Amino acid sequence: MSVITRFAPSPTGYLHIGGARTALFNYLFARNQRGKYLLRVEDTDKKRSTPEAVEAIYDGLNWLGLQGDGEVVLQSNQLEAHKKAAFDMLERGTAYKCYLTPDEVEALRAQAKEAGIPVRSPWRDKNDAPENTPFTIRLKMPEGGETVIEDMVQGKVIIQNEKLDDMILLRSDGSPTYMLAVVVDDHDMGITHVLRGDDHLNNAFRQYHIYQALGWDVPIFGHIPLIHGADGAKLSKRHGALGVDAYREMGYLPEAMLNYLARLGWSHGDDELFSLKEAIEWFDGSHIGKSPSRFDFDKLKSVNHHWMRQADPAMLVEMVMQIAPDGGPKTKDWLASLMPLLSERAQTLPELAEMSSWLFCEGAPALNENAKAILNEEAKSHLQNFATFMATAPENKLDFEPAFKDWMAENDLKMKDIGLPLRAALTGTKRAPSILDIVVTLGRDETQKRIQDICI
């Protein structure tokens, strides 16, 4: 069997973190099985669906690299197929027309709830249909027995059929319900595996019977436990239930988000850090947990730190240049030279931009309080002496390092005497790469200029 999975979001807002994980799991499984991963936008709720939300979903998926194979299916374009399926079930005798008024339906539901029985319309077994009267089409659920689903995540799941209502498939205005539309769309797209959140598990039993009523093959279901916050409570905005675009703005790399999301509810031994290529190789549908996973920002930052260190320095330079204020003509070259060292320390792009802010100016940068405390009169005297040495010092690191050590020995100085003042004067902070790398990168003229500005 050629595996075909799908991600089918409703465009009523941003692509949230749970949706992104669902898309990722479907993508990984399809790629692992050398199948297809399709995208469908369930936009039939016109009151809540917006073009902006559709674009936000596309944008989030594109950033993560989770675009579907082939064209995106819009559910609103499939309405005629939905209607046809409902009337096909009428012809097969697996569905029936219900002429109950809205008030009668409410009364029927109340009675069924009080009696603890499923909703069964009196029209289920009637043939004397009134003329020119609006009707809905209901599924004729089996009245006895049980429904068994072999879920690829949850295992065998069973429900007694007596708990299943004769649900509405087609409303009186001719519009399909969610249950019908999903089944018809999945069938028409050839979906073989439905991986989604376990909040849809109850839907699976109902959708199973729609497949049966139409004589179609039922796909393999896999219901993934939802994501909770680090405290175990239902995920909310305070935990990180934000749109994927928010994580991009917070400075996380897509490689880190994919790595972290893959580990939210799935494992491959003790592996914590892995590439998308490795995840595809390993994700065969097994080892998806049955318990809710917990979203942890600290863990996400740690994973992002790893991928920052792995990232192409030139790419990081461009990203920092986009989010930082305009620099001078030499800023980009300075960043490129120091990026391998800077990225070792930063967990996110904004942190990287902040710790490299001293490269976006010419002359002495603004000093933080720690730097000001270091630059006393004795420190400034050492700096002026160093500036004199710089006038004739070698400009490449290989030759500069021994010459610098000789200069310190001649002046009876240790690294602590000149290193901290130099870092403070040149960067305005204590958190910066090796002072030798800084001096060589800034060069003779800029180093002397910054020292002069500080010592005036």
Side-chain angles (χ1 to χ4, degrees):
M1 176 177 61
S2 179
V3 167
I4 304 177
T5 68
R6 51 78 162 172
F7 176 53
S10 298
T12 56
Y14 48 70
L15 175 63
H16 59 79
I17 204 71
R21 185 190 63 166
T22 298
L24 175 60
F25 280 18
N26 279 279
Y27 174 90
L28 292 177
F29 184 63
R31 292 290 181 267
N32 175 273
Q33 299 293 310
R34 294 175 172 79
K36 292 182 179 180
Y37 155 75
L38 306 180
L39 180 62
R40 179 174 76 239
V41 176
E42 300 188 336
D43 62 340
T44 51
D45 186 347
K46 293 303 181 183
K47 292 182 179 179
R48 300 177 62 209
S49 301
T50 66
E52 293 77 16
V54 173
E55 286 304 313
I57 289 171
Y58 290 163
D59 191 44
L61 292 173
N62 290 341
W63 179 62
L64 292 171
L66 300 178
Q67 305 95 328
D69 300 323
E71 292 187 10
V72 177
V73 173
L74 294 179
Q75 192 172 68
S76 58
N77 292 338
Q78 310 300 112
L79 295 180
E80 290 305 314
H82 303 155
K83 291 180 183 178
K84 181 180 182 303
F87 281 94
D88 284 350
M89 281 183 273
L90 282 179
E91 291 184 12
R92 295 170 67 94
T94 53
Y96 61 94
K97 294 179 181 180
C98 174
Y99 294 90
L100 293 178
T101 66
D103 288 343
E104 289 172 332
V105 170
E106 286 303 314
L108 179 64
R109 285 177 180 161
Q111 292 169 8
K113 183 177 180 180
E114 185 176 351
I117 59 175
V119 172
R120 300 276 190 263
S121 170
W123 289 99
R124 178 183 172 107
D125 301 310
K126 286 186 177 183
N127 296 315
D128 53 338
E131 294 183 7
N132 301 319
T133 302
F135 61 87
T136 60
I137 296 180
R138 288 182 179 271
L139 182 66
K140 188 179 287 187
M141 282 288 187
E143 295 189 272
E146 61 186 21
T147 301
V148 180
I149 290 178
E150 294 288 350
D151 193 281
M152 61 187 291
V153 178
Q154 304 294 332
K156 179 180 288 188
V157 189
I158 303 172
I159 192 171
Q160 299 303 311
N161 291 334
E162 62 186 21
K163 295 182 179 180
L164 299 174
D165 295 338
D166 283 2
M167 61 183 174
I168 294 175
L169 302 171
L170 203 67
R171 301 182 184 93
S172 59
D173 63 0
S175 64
T177 59
Y178 166 80
M179 293 293 188
L180 174 63
V182 167
V183 168
V184 174
D185 292 343
D186 281 346
H187 172 267
D188 289 353
M189 293 170 69
I191 304 303
T192 62
H193 292 72
V194 176
L195 284 172
R196 57 190 179 185
D198 66 3
D199 52 334
H200 285 281
L201 182 55
N202 285 334
N203 292 342
F205 294 109
R206 292 156 176 80
Q207 291 163 5
Y208 173 93
H209 286 288
I210 297 177
Y211 281 102
Q212 295 284 79
L214 286 162
W216 294 344
D217 291 336
V218 181
I220 296 171
F221 292 106
H223 289 91
I224 309 158
L226 301 182
I227 302 171
H228 287 184
D231 58 1
K234 185 178 178 180
L235 192 65
S236 64
K237 287 186 177 180
R238 67 185 176 88
H239 295 116
L242 307 170
V244 167
D245 59 317
Y247 294 92
R248 177 169 49 184
E249 292 172 5
M250 286 187 283
Y252 294 100
L253 300 180
E255 296 87 351
M257 291 302 302
L258 291 169
N259 185 168
Y260 182 69
L261 287 175
R263 284 291 286 118
L264 278 180
W266 171 78
S267 64
H268 181 265
D270 295 327
D271 294 296
E272 293 284 346
L273 301 168
F274 45 81
S275 66
L276 183 62
K277 182 179 179 181
E278 289 171 316
I280 290 172
E281 180 183 344
W282 298 335
F283 198 102
D284 60 2
S286 61
H287 305 295
I288 299 175
K290 294 184 180 181
S291 301
S293 52
R294 297 193 178 194
F295 190 93
D296 185 338
F297 261 114
D298 289 337
K299 182 65 177 177
L300 174 58
K301 283 187 176 181
S302 176
V303 173
N304 200 62
H305 184 205
H306 167 79
W307 287 104
M308 293 273 285
R309 297 197 305 271
Q310 304 299 313
D312 176 17
M315 180 190 75
L316 292 178
V317 168
E318 294 300 327
M319 289 180 169
V320 169
M321 295 289 288
Q322 290 175 13
I323 65 176
D326 293 337
K330 297 180 180 179
T331 294
K332 190 170 183 178
D333 290 339
W334 290 339
L335 275 173
S337 177
L338 290 174
M339 188 54 72
L341 300 174
L342 292 167
S343 61
E344 284 287 327
R345 300 161 177 260
Q347 289 189 309
T348 64
L349 287 171
E351 281 186 19
L352 185 57
E354 181 182 359
M355 69 174 55
S356 60
S357 61
W358 52 277
L359 295 172
F360 285 77
C361 62
E362 294 186 10
L367 305 180
N368 64 25
E369 292 304 315
N370 288 328
K372 289 178 182 178
I374 291 169
L375 294 172
N376 54 32
E377 290 306 313
E378 181 182 12
K380 289 181 180 180
S381 175
H382 293 326
L383 287 174
Q384 289 173 323
N385 192 3
F386 178 80
T388 301
F389 158 72
M390 278 296 297
T392 57
E395 293 197 79
N396 66 79
K397 186 178 179 181
L398 187 64
D399 295 328
F400 178 83
E401 187 170 354
F404 177 60
K405 289 180 179 179
D406 290 343
W407 173 81
M408 283 196 298
E410 291 170 6
N411 289 271
D412 196 25
L413 295 173
K414 298 185 181 301
M415 180 58 81
K416 66 177 182 178
D417 301 320
I418 187 63
L420 286 178
L422 260 179
R423 183 175 279 105
L426 300 182
T427 72
T429 179
K430 290 173 65 177
R431 189 184 182 190
S434 158
I435 190 58
L436 295 181
D437 289 300
I438 292 171
V439 170
V440 170
T441 296
L442 291 178
R444 177 181 295 155
D445 292 344
E446 182 65 20
T447 297
Q448 288 179 310
K449 178 175 174 54
R450 294 191 179 202
I451 290 174
Q452 182 182 11
D453 290 348
I454 289 294
C455 294
I456 290 177

